[in-house]
């Protein structure tokens, strides 16, 4: 990767983070559309991150339920 490509990637990443920070719900919907279309080279990463966030949410829910059950039963 050349220095010019690196600068392009970092500026694109900064733009994506700015858009995600300013309009998160709209950006999540846009990323879902891009993942469905499969045209973005980042599509696999989008899907993996989405699945990881969903799994972390499920794990947090199960752990929270386990602590609540232990507190109520103990």
């Amino acid at each position: 990767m050349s220095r010019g490509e690196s600068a392009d990637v970092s500026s694109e990443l900064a733009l994506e983070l700015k858009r995600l920070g300013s309009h998160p719900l709209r950006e999540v919907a846009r990323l879902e559309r891009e993942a469905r279309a499969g045209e973005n080279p980042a599509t696999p990463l989008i899907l993996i991150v989405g699945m990881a966030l969903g799994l972390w949410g499920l794990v947090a829910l199960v752990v929270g339920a386990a602590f609540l059950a232990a507190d109520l039963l103990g």
Side-chain angles (χ1 to χ4, degrees):
M1 182 180 282
S2 70
R3 177 169 246 158
E5 289 175 4
S6 177
D8 288 343
V9 169
S10 22
S11 65
E12 186 175 331
L13 179 60
L15 178 63
E16 287 291 329
L17 289 174
K18 181 180 176 186
R19 288 190 334 195
L20 186 59
S22 60
H23 303 286
L25 297 177
R26 191 178 332 162
E27 284 303 305
V28 168
R30 183 185 64 84
L31 290 173
E32 287 175 353
R33 284 192 306 274
E34 284 188 13
R36 266 190 242 116
E39 297 171 356
N40 189 335
T43 297
L45 181 62
I46 293 168
L47 296 175
I48 290 170
V49 168
M51 288 175 45
L53 289 174
L55 287 173
W56 276 108
L58 181 62
V59 167
L61 184 67
V62 169
V63 168
F67 276 114
L68 180 63
D71 188 43
L72 292 175
L73 297 175

